[in-house]
Amino acid sequence: MAKDTLTVTDNRTGKSYELPVTNGTVRAMDLRQIRTSEDDFGLMTYDPAFTNTASCVSRITFIDGDKGILRYRGIPIDELAEKATYLEVAYLLIHGELPTRTELDSFVHNITFHTMVHENIRELMDGFRYDAHPMGMLTSTVAALSTFYPDATDVHDADSRMLQMHRIVAKMPTLAAFAYRHRRGLPCVYPDNELSFAGNFLAMLFKMAERRYQPNPAVEKALDVLFILHADHEQNCSTNAMRGVGSSQVDPYSATAAACAALYGPLHGGANEQAIRMLQEIGSVNNIPEFIKKVKGGEGRLMGFGHRVYKNYDPRAKVIKKLAYEVFDAVGKNPLIDIAIELERIALEDEYFVKRKLYPNVDFYSGIIYQAMGLPMDMFPVLFAIGRSAGWLAQWREMLEDDEQKIARPRQIYLGEELRSYVPISERDNGFVAKPARPTKTP
Ligand code: SDX
């Protein structure tokens, strides 16, 4: 009768071991019993970039990369994009269930009434260079929020945790908009509590001399959907940072700043900005074959393509591609869409991309919409961070409430120098030439 176990034989000793298989995994710690002698530390796993390592048990987001499936708390992403609002989805991610009308009204009230930031934060923003990247400003000011809420350090108090989560979801758009206004040399626009989450963000970005900003309903809806699509994505790089930094029991503002820093990278949340730069560099559909040839020759990557988990079309990219045309109807077409569509068509027929299962991801089309909305490229990862804040916080809370979790501290394979003594400087070679760092020999 089949058993949920793995039997391994250590050929160094001839011993066999039976390891339990749970949820398709074996526990790394179960390998430590496999030793060649009493003073042998025991086997570890070696998995650079965690390509095949589950770091946690989670009940928030499910992805089937081969089938292109994404569900938040079991609900398919396309249903949520079509039927829900971002704050409804934020509640779902954090609490695990869709809110009742009363619960949603209370959640929306809590978020709406936490959108303001201390004036010192706005003044802090003034200290950045006129051309500071807004993602650098967001990362810094989210971290600075930790100094305004010392009560946030009690990460084991459920009420305090929930208050900080409300504050962070609410204040991310305000910080993002302040960063945008700073870059434009414009005065900050304070939150308008009469507007929706997305509408208020648009007002803080674009309000000028008019008495009250009226968001374009199509743009407001599209932005809310984009926040939903970016809200969570299981253990991606920035969520891993949120969990890892949060595992030290630091306050959630500092952990969120770490997640923002990870998202800033061009291979992660910065890819939507790089994808637009790539489309602009291509310039015309006629130049696509030459560009593809360069990528296949190892000269750069197709930004917005490929994914560590999706080996099929990113379901978010499908929704965004459709959403783009709804935005274009409202604000005018972004001509880059034609290059993007043709680039996708050509790439998906090319063996290089097909063999590597490279498909458009969430970042391939999102920048085209943001640009059509009038946002500059360096704001794109900032918008990603606004949507993802709910997911980061839901994952942070789940980590803190997981009895199996503790401070994250991986092991290593040491291949450095063996024991050696300090050499007094007088005895070192006077013709000293800096030695190149010895490469880490990958085992
Ligand atoms: C996000 O993890 C998440 O969930 C992230 C995210 C989220 O919601 O949080 O989904 C958001 O970050 C989406 C990804 C955005 N990044 C980009 O679009 C940047 C371009 N894409 C890549 O650099 C790449 O695809 C990654 C980083 C997304 C995934 O890289 P992997 O899984 O580490 O794959 P790899 O780098 O090992 O590549 C495997 C092969 C390599 O070729 P060979 O060495 O086998 O010859 O595929 C090639 C790579 O060169 N490849 C690409 C490519 N991506 C991978 N070749 C050309 N263009 C690309 N985009």
Side-chain angles (χ1 to χ4, degrees):
M1 207 268 268
K3 289 195 292 179
D4 286 334
T5 61
L6 186 72
T7 300
V8 289
T9 299
D10 183 350
N11 294 320
R12 300 171 299 176
T13 62
K15 285 185 183 169
S16 288
Y17 304 82
E18 191 167 7
L19 309 178
V21 174
T22 318
N23 299 313
T25 65
V26 287
R27 282 182 170 274
M29 281 305 288
D30 284 349
L31 297 174
R32 285 283 291 281
Q33 63 184 304
I34 303 175
R35 300 186 292 172
T36 55
S37 64
E38 277 309 303
D39 60 359
D40 180 355
F41 181 77
L43 280 190
M44 295 193 294
T45 56
Y46 174 54
D47 186 8
F50 315 121
T51 52
N52 192 42
T53 293
S55 61
C56 64
V57 168
S58 182
R59 293 172 174 78
I60 298 172
T61 291
F62 172 73
I63 298 174
D64 181 323
D66 292 330
K67 297 189 183 114
I69 291 172
L70 170 58
R71 299 178 194 141
Y72 292 162
R73 299 288 189 179
I75 303 174
I77 190 68
D78 50 346
E79 271 192 66
L80 291 168
E82 187 190 334
K83 299 171 182 169
T85 63
Y86 172 70
L87 288 184
E88 209 174 354
V89 169
Y91 184 99
L92 171 69
L93 289 169
I94 291 170
H95 293 280
E97 295 294 338
L98 287 168
T100 62
R101 166 52 61 193
T102 310
E103 287 165 338
L104 182 58
D105 290 348
S106 167
F107 187 71
V108 170
H109 178 274
N110 283 324
I111 300 301
T112 304
F113 285 84
H114 278 295
T115 46
M116 295 287 271
V117 292
H118 194 290
E119 275 297 279
N120 289 160
I121 288 284
R122 187 187 56 70
E123 289 153 6
L124 184 69
M125 284 259 185
D126 291 342
F128 286 100
R129 266 176 62 103
Y130 69 93
D131 60 352
H133 195 293
M135 198 60 182
M137 295 174 75
L138 177 69
T139 303
S140 315
T141 46
V142 168
L145 283 176
S146 68
T147 66
F148 288 82
Y149 302 111
D151 55 323
T153 54
D154 187 357
V155 297
H156 291 297
D157 178 297
D159 292 339
S160 170
R161 274 208 305 268
M162 196 52 69
L163 173 57
Q164 312 318 326
M165 286 194 264
H166 290 160
R167 282 171 170 158
I168 292 171
V169 171
K171 296 178 195 305
M172 288 287 274
T174 308
L175 298 177
F178 281 14
Y180 170 78
R181 300 287 285 199
H182 174 82
R183 295 263 286 121
R184 299 288 308 277
L186 294 168
C188 290
V189 174
Y190 288 91
D192 179 344
N193 290 347
E194 300 299 311
L195 296 173
S196 72
F197 184 83
N200 173 48
F201 180 56
L202 289 167
M204 292 192 289
L205 286 173
F206 298 131
K207 183 180 180 303
M208 300 305 274
E210 67 273 36
R211 271 177 46 77
R212 167 164 267 178
Y213 181 84
Q214 296 300 335
N216 177 312
V219 174
E220 183 179 6
K221 171 65 180 163
L223 197 53
D224 199 67
V225 171
L226 284 161
F227 288 149
I228 290 172
L229 296 173
H230 287 84
D232 193 56
H233 212 240
E234 58 146 89
Q235 305 312 312
N236 57 84
C237 181
S238 54
T239 297
N240 183 56
M242 185 82 184
R243 280 179 170 258
V245 171
S247 73
S248 72
Q249 299 189 4
V250 75
D251 67 271
Y253 301 96
S254 304
T256 301
C260 286
L263 191 69
Y264 197 178
L267 293 189
H268 190 13
N272 49 20
E273 178 181 347
Q274 299 307 323
I276 289 290
R277 293 186 192 284
M278 171 189 74
L279 294 171
Q280 288 176 330
E281 179 198 333
I282 294 171
S284 142
V285 291
N286 302 328
N287 301 333
I288 291 174
E290 182 56 31
F291 180 81
I292 292 267
K293 191 173 161 208
K294 282 184 188 166
V295 169
K296 289 163 65 175
E299 290 180 52
R301 291 193 162 190
L302 211 44
M303 298 312 279
F305 251 72
H307 202 275
R308 174 65 57 77
V309 176
Y310 288 123
K311 301 309 172 191
N312 200 321
Y313 212 102
D314 185 332
R316 299 168 297 178
K318 281 183 190 163
V319 177
I320 292 176
K321 193 172 168 182
K322 181 168 157 288
L323 195 63
Y325 289 97
E326 293 167 23
V327 172
F328 296 160
D329 288 345
V331 299
K333 181 179 172 184
N334 184 336
L336 291 179
I337 189 81
D338 296 330
I339 299 175
I341 296 278
E342 181 62 4
L343 180 58
E344 174 191 330
R345 186 190 65 77
I346 294 175
L348 295 188
E349 289 174 352
D350 187 301
E351 176 55 23
Y352 178 93
F353 299 95
V354 172
K355 187 175 82 170
R356 291 167 176 79
K357 299 186 177 179
L358 302 175
Y359 292 85
N361 60 50
V362 67
D363 292 307
F364 190 60
Y365 289 105
S366 55
I368 294 173
I369 299 183
Y370 293 144
Q371 196 173 52
M373 288 177 176
L375 285 156
M377 280 185 277
D378 53 19
M379 279 294 288
F380 298 175
V382 174
L383 273 85
F384 196 143
I386 292 172
R388 187 54 56 89
S389 59
W392 287 334
L393 290 163
Q395 299 271 354
W396 168 75
R397 179 194 186 189
E398 186 176 64
M399 177 271 300
L400 286 171
E401 294 179 349
D402 182 342
D403 295 337
E404 280 201 309
Q405 293 293 339
K406 52 187 175 181
I407 188 166
R409 201 264 183 235
R411 297 279 180 172
Q412 64 171 15
I413 299 171
Y414 179 71
L415 295 179
E417 299 289 346
E418 294 307 325
L419 176 64
R420 58 180 177 159
S421 301
Y422 176 82
V423 177
I425 195 159
S426 57
E427 295 173 23
R428 292 176 209 155
D429 176 354
N430 290 327
F432 176 72
V433 174
K435 297 188 190 66
R438 286 175 60 182
T440 306
K441 287 191 299 297
T442 307

